[in-house]
Amino acid sequence: MILVTSIDDIYDIYGSMEELEKFTKGVERWSMDAMEKLPECLKLCFQSLIRVINEISYVNFKEHGVDTRSHLKKVWTDLCKSFLLEAKWHYTKFTPSFKGYMDNAWISSSGVVLLLHAYCLISPNITKEALDCFDQHKDLIYHPSLIFRLCNDLVPSTMNLEGDETAKSIPCYMHETGHSEKLAQEYMKNMIEERWKKMNRCQVGNTRFPQSFIDVILNLIKTVHCVYQYGDAYGSPNKASTKRVLKVLIEPISLHKNI
Protein backbone atom coordinates (compact mmCIF):
# COMPACT_ATOMS: atom_id res chain seq x y z
CA MET A 1 0.00 0.00 0.00
CA ILE A 2 2.88 2.37 0.79
CA LEU A 3 4.41 1.75 -2.64
CA VAL A 4 1.05 2.34 -4.35
CA THR A 5 0.60 5.61 -2.45
CA SER A 6 4.13 6.78 -3.26
CA ILE A 7 3.73 6.14 -6.99
CA ASP A 8 0.24 7.68 -6.95
CA ASP A 9 1.79 10.83 -5.44
CA ILE A 10 4.32 10.93 -8.27
CA TYR A 11 1.47 11.18 -10.78
CA ASP A 12 -0.62 13.54 -8.64
CA ILE A 13 2.04 15.90 -7.27
CA TYR A 14 5.71 15.45 -8.11
CA GLY A 15 6.06 14.57 -11.79
CA SER A 16 5.75 16.81 -14.82
CA MET A 17 3.75 15.45 -17.75
CA GLU A 18 6.95 14.62 -19.65
CA GLU A 19 8.43 12.85 -16.61
CA LEU A 20 5.24 10.87 -16.03
CA GLU A 21 5.18 9.65 -19.63
CA LYS A 22 8.82 8.52 -19.38
CA PHE A 23 8.18 6.87 -16.00
CA THR A 24 5.17 4.98 -17.39
CA LYS A 25 7.18 3.78 -20.42
CA GLY A 26 9.95 2.67 -18.04
CA VAL A 27 7.50 0.59 -16.01
CA GLU A 28 6.01 -0.87 -19.20
CA ARG A 29 9.47 -1.83 -20.47
CA TRP A 30 10.59 -2.78 -16.94
CA SER A 31 13.89 -1.08 -17.63
CA MET A 32 16.05 1.29 -15.54
CA ASP A 33 17.51 2.68 -18.77
CA ALA A 34 14.26 4.54 -19.42
CA MET A 35 14.57 6.19 -16.00
CA GLU A 36 18.08 7.55 -16.59
CA LYS A 37 17.16 11.23 -17.01
CA LEU A 38 14.37 11.29 -14.43
CA PRO A 39 14.60 12.82 -10.92
CA GLU A 40 16.05 10.66 -8.15
CA CYS A 41 12.70 10.28 -6.36
CA LEU A 42 11.19 8.65 -9.46
CA LYS A 43 14.20 6.38 -9.90
CA LEU A 44 14.01 5.35 -6.24
CA CYS A 45 10.33 4.42 -6.54
CA PHE A 46 10.97 2.32 -9.63
CA GLN A 47 13.95 0.58 -8.00
CA SER A 48 11.78 -0.22 -4.97
CA LEU A 49 9.05 -1.56 -7.25
CA ILE A 50 11.48 -3.85 -9.09
CA ARG A 51 12.92 -5.13 -5.81
CA VAL A 52 9.50 -5.91 -4.32
CA ILE A 53 8.25 -7.69 -7.46
CA ASN A 54 11.46 -9.73 -7.79
CA GLU A 55 11.31 -10.80 -4.13
CA ILE A 56 7.65 -11.85 -4.29
CA SER A 57 8.02 -13.71 -7.60
CA TYR A 58 11.15 -15.49 -6.34
CA VAL A 59 9.35 -16.77 -3.24
CA ASN A 60 6.33 -17.81 -5.33
CA PHE A 61 8.48 -19.80 -7.76
CA LYS A 62 10.50 -21.36 -4.95
CA GLU A 63 7.45 -22.45 -2.92
CA HIS A 64 4.82 -23.08 -5.63
CA GLY A 65 6.78 -23.57 -8.84
CA VAL A 66 4.74 -20.81 -10.53
CA ASP A 67 6.17 -17.72 -12.22
CA THR A 68 4.11 -14.75 -11.03
CA ARG A 69 6.51 -12.05 -12.23
CA SER A 70 4.80 -11.35 -15.57
CA HIS A 71 1.40 -11.04 -13.85
CA LEU A 72 2.76 -8.67 -11.21
CA LYS A 73 4.48 -6.57 -13.87
CA LYS A 74 1.25 -6.37 -15.88
CA VAL A 75 -0.94 -5.10 -13.06
CA TRP A 76 1.64 -2.44 -12.17
CA THR A 77 1.91 -1.38 -15.82
CA ASP A 78 -1.89 -1.14 -16.06
CA LEU A 79 -1.99 0.89 -12.84
CA CYS A 80 0.65 3.37 -14.02
CA LYS A 81 -1.10 3.77 -17.38
CA SER A 82 -4.36 4.54 -15.58
CA PHE A 83 -2.58 7.06 -13.35
CA LEU A 84 -1.08 8.67 -16.46
CA LEU A 85 -4.47 9.00 -18.13
CA GLU A 86 -5.90 10.70 -15.04
CA ALA A 87 -2.89 13.03 -14.96
CA LYS A 88 -3.53 13.99 -18.61
CA TRP A 89 -7.17 14.73 -17.78
CA HIS A 90 -6.03 16.93 -14.92
CA TYR A 91 -3.37 18.83 -16.90
CA THR A 92 -5.76 19.51 -19.80
CA LYS A 93 -8.76 20.13 -17.50
CA PHE A 94 -10.66 17.53 -19.50
CA THR A 95 -13.86 15.97 -18.18
CA PRO A 96 -14.25 12.45 -19.63
CA SER A 97 -17.57 10.74 -20.20
CA PHE A 98 -18.89 8.83 -17.22
CA LYS A 99 -18.20 5.52 -18.97
CA GLY A 100 -14.73 6.66 -19.98
CA TYR A 101 -13.99 7.60 -16.41
CA MET A 102 -15.32 4.34 -14.95
CA ASP A 103 -13.43 2.19 -17.49
CA ASN A 104 -10.20 3.67 -16.14
CA ALA A 105 -11.12 4.38 -12.53
CA TRP A 106 -11.58 0.80 -11.32
CA ILE A 107 -7.97 0.15 -12.36
CA SER A 108 -6.59 3.37 -10.83
CA SER A 109 -8.27 2.46 -7.53
CA SER A 110 -5.29 0.05 -7.13
CA GLY A 111 -7.62 -2.75 -6.08
CA VAL A 112 -6.24 -5.17 -8.69
CA VAL A 113 -2.65 -4.52 -7.59
CA LEU A 114 -3.45 -4.95 -3.90
CA LEU A 115 -5.45 -8.13 -4.46
CA LEU A 116 -2.86 -9.79 -6.69
CA HIS A 117 -0.13 -9.11 -4.13
CA ALA A 118 -2.38 -10.52 -1.42
CA TYR A 119 -3.06 -13.65 -3.49
CA CYS A 120 0.65 -14.17 -4.17
CA LEU A 121 1.53 -13.74 -0.49
CA ILE A 122 -1.19 -15.73 1.31
CA SER A 123 -2.49 -18.36 -1.10
CA PRO A 124 -1.62 -21.92 -0.04
CA ASN A 125 -1.64 -23.01 -3.69
CA ILE A 126 -0.99 -20.49 -6.46
CA THR A 127 -2.42 -21.63 -9.81
CA LYS A 128 -2.15 -20.31 -13.36
CA GLU A 129 -5.95 -20.43 -13.65
CA ALA A 130 -6.33 -18.03 -10.73
CA LEU A 131 -3.56 -15.75 -12.02
CA ASP A 132 -5.29 -15.53 -15.39
CA CYS A 133 -8.36 -14.13 -13.60
CA PHE A 134 -6.33 -11.04 -12.74
CA ASP A 135 -5.24 -10.61 -16.37
CA GLN A 136 -8.77 -11.14 -17.68
CA HIS A 137 -10.38 -8.92 -15.00
CA LYS A 138 -12.85 -11.49 -13.75
CA ASP A 139 -15.79 -10.32 -11.65
CA LEU A 140 -14.28 -11.20 -8.27
CA ILE A 141 -11.48 -8.77 -9.07
CA TYR A 142 -13.45 -6.15 -11.00
CA HIS A 143 -16.36 -5.57 -8.60
CA PRO A 144 -14.34 -4.93 -5.41
CA SER A 145 -11.98 -2.63 -7.35
CA LEU A 146 -14.96 -0.61 -8.58
CA ILE A 147 -16.43 -0.41 -5.08
CA PHE A 148 -13.03 0.80 -3.87
CA ARG A 149 -13.10 3.67 -6.39
CA LEU A 150 -16.72 4.67 -5.80
CA CYS A 151 -16.30 4.78 -2.02
CA ASN A 152 -13.30 7.06 -2.51
CA ASP A 153 -15.24 9.28 -4.91
CA LEU A 154 -18.10 9.67 -2.43
CA VAL A 155 -15.81 11.62 -0.11
CA PRO A 156 -17.23 15.21 -0.17
CA SER A 157 -16.45 16.51 -3.65
CA THR A 158 -16.45 20.27 -3.10
CA MET A 159 -12.85 20.55 -4.29
CA ASN A 160 -13.67 18.57 -7.42
CA LEU A 161 -16.64 20.76 -8.30
CA GLU A 162 -14.53 23.90 -7.94
CA GLY A 163 -12.43 22.67 -10.85
CA ASP A 164 -9.26 21.49 -9.12
CA GLU A 165 -10.04 17.96 -10.23
CA THR A 166 -12.44 17.00 -13.00
CA ALA A 167 -11.87 13.26 -13.26
CA LYS A 168 -14.09 11.90 -10.50
CA SER A 169 -17.28 9.90 -10.90
CA ILE A 170 -19.65 12.48 -9.39
CA PRO A 171 -18.52 15.50 -11.46
CA CYS A 172 -18.37 13.35 -14.61
CA TYR A 173 -21.89 12.05 -14.01
CA MET A 174 -23.21 15.54 -13.25
CA HIS A 175 -21.53 16.98 -16.35
CA GLU A 176 -23.00 14.26 -18.57
CA THR A 177 -26.53 14.10 -17.16
CA GLY A 178 -27.11 17.57 -15.73
CA HIS A 179 -28.20 16.01 -12.44
CA SER A 180 -27.55 17.57 -9.04
CA GLU A 181 -24.71 16.47 -6.78
CA LYS A 182 -27.20 14.80 -4.44
CA LEU A 183 -28.69 12.70 -7.24
CA ALA A 184 -25.20 11.83 -8.47
CA GLN A 185 -24.20 10.66 -5.00
CA GLU A 186 -27.32 8.49 -4.77
CA TYR A 187 -26.49 6.96 -8.15
CA MET A 188 -22.98 6.05 -6.94
CA LYS A 189 -24.37 4.54 -3.73
CA ASN A 190 -26.78 2.42 -5.78
CA MET A 191 -23.89 1.30 -7.98
CA ILE A 192 -21.95 0.22 -4.89
CA GLU A 193 -24.95 -1.75 -3.64
CA GLU A 194 -25.37 -3.49 -7.02
CA ARG A 195 -21.66 -4.37 -7.15
CA TRP A 196 -21.90 -5.92 -3.68
CA LYS A 197 -24.79 -8.10 -4.89
CA LYS A 198 -22.85 -9.19 -7.97
CA MET A 199 -19.74 -9.87 -5.92
CA ASN A 200 -21.71 -12.00 -3.46
CA ARG A 201 -23.16 -14.03 -6.34
CA CYS A 202 -19.65 -14.55 -7.72
CA GLN A 203 -18.56 -16.14 -4.44
CA VAL A 204 -21.18 -18.89 -4.72
CA GLY A 205 -19.70 -20.34 -7.91
CA ASN A 206 -16.06 -19.60 -7.10
CA THR A 207 -13.73 -22.50 -7.83
CA ARG A 208 -10.52 -20.60 -8.63
CA PHE A 209 -9.60 -18.90 -5.37
CA PRO A 210 -9.12 -20.32 -1.86
CA GLN A 211 -11.46 -19.10 0.87
CA SER A 212 -8.57 -17.30 2.56
CA PHE A 213 -8.27 -15.03 -0.48
CA ILE A 214 -12.05 -14.49 -0.68
CA ASP A 215 -11.85 -13.31 2.92
CA VAL A 216 -9.12 -10.84 1.89
CA ILE A 217 -11.37 -9.44 -0.85
CA LEU A 218 -14.27 -8.97 1.57
CA ASN A 219 -12.06 -7.47 4.26
CA LEU A 220 -10.53 -5.04 1.77
CA ILE A 221 -13.94 -3.70 0.77
CA LYS A 222 -15.16 -3.52 4.37
CA THR A 223 -12.01 -1.58 5.23
CA VAL A 224 -12.59 0.77 2.30
CA HIS A 225 -16.11 1.48 3.51
CA CYS A 226 -14.75 2.23 6.97
CA VAL A 227 -11.88 4.42 5.73
CA TYR A 228 -14.14 6.62 3.59
CA GLN A 229 -17.23 6.58 5.82
CA TYR A 230 -16.60 10.00 7.39
CA GLY A 231 -14.21 11.52 4.84
CA ASP A 232 -10.80 10.41 3.61
CA ALA A 233 -9.36 8.74 6.70
CA TYR A 234 -6.30 7.60 4.73
CA GLY A 235 -5.25 10.63 2.72
CA SER A 236 -6.63 13.36 4.98
CA PRO A 237 -7.67 11.94 8.37
CA ASN A 238 -9.85 14.12 10.61
CA LYS A 239 -10.26 13.93 14.39
CA ALA A 240 -13.03 11.32 14.17
CA SER A 241 -10.87 9.05 11.98
CA THR A 242 -7.85 9.42 14.26
CA LYS A 243 -9.98 8.64 17.31
CA ARG A 244 -11.29 5.44 15.71
CA VAL A 245 -7.75 4.24 14.94
CA LEU A 246 -6.63 4.98 18.49
CA LYS A 247 -9.57 3.08 19.96
CA VAL A 248 -8.97 0.02 17.78
CA LEU A 249 -5.16 -0.19 17.91
CA ILE A 250 -3.80 1.85 20.82
CA GLU A 251 -6.20 2.41 23.69
CA PRO A 252 -6.63 -0.52 26.11
CA ILE A 253 -9.92 -2.41 26.21
CA SER A 254 -11.51 -2.80 29.59
CA LEU A 255 -12.27 -6.41 30.50
CA HIS A 256 -14.46 -5.50 33.44
CA LYS A 257 -18.15 -4.74 33.04
CA ASN A 258 -19.87 -2.29 35.32
CA ILE A 259 -22.69 -4.02 37.12
Side-chain angles (χ1 to χ4, degrees), residues 98-135:
F98 182 67
K99 182 182 184 304
Y101 170 78
M102 296 304 294
D103 287 345
N104 186 70
W106 74 273
I107 300 173
S108 68
S109 72
S110 75
V112 184
V113 168
L114 297 177
L115 290 174
L116 179 56
H117 282 69
Y119 176 75
C120 290
L121 292 170
I122 71 161
S123 179
N125 182 31
I126 297 175
T127 66
K128 185 180 184 304
E129 182 185 24
L131 290 170
D132 287 343
C133 288
F134 289 91
D135 291 342

Side-chain angles (χ1 to χ4, degrees), residues 138-149:
K138 294 295 185 181
D139 289 346
L140 268 174
I141 308 301
Y142 171 73
H143 294 314
S145 298
L146 192 60
I147 292 171
F148 194 159
R149 169 54 65 200

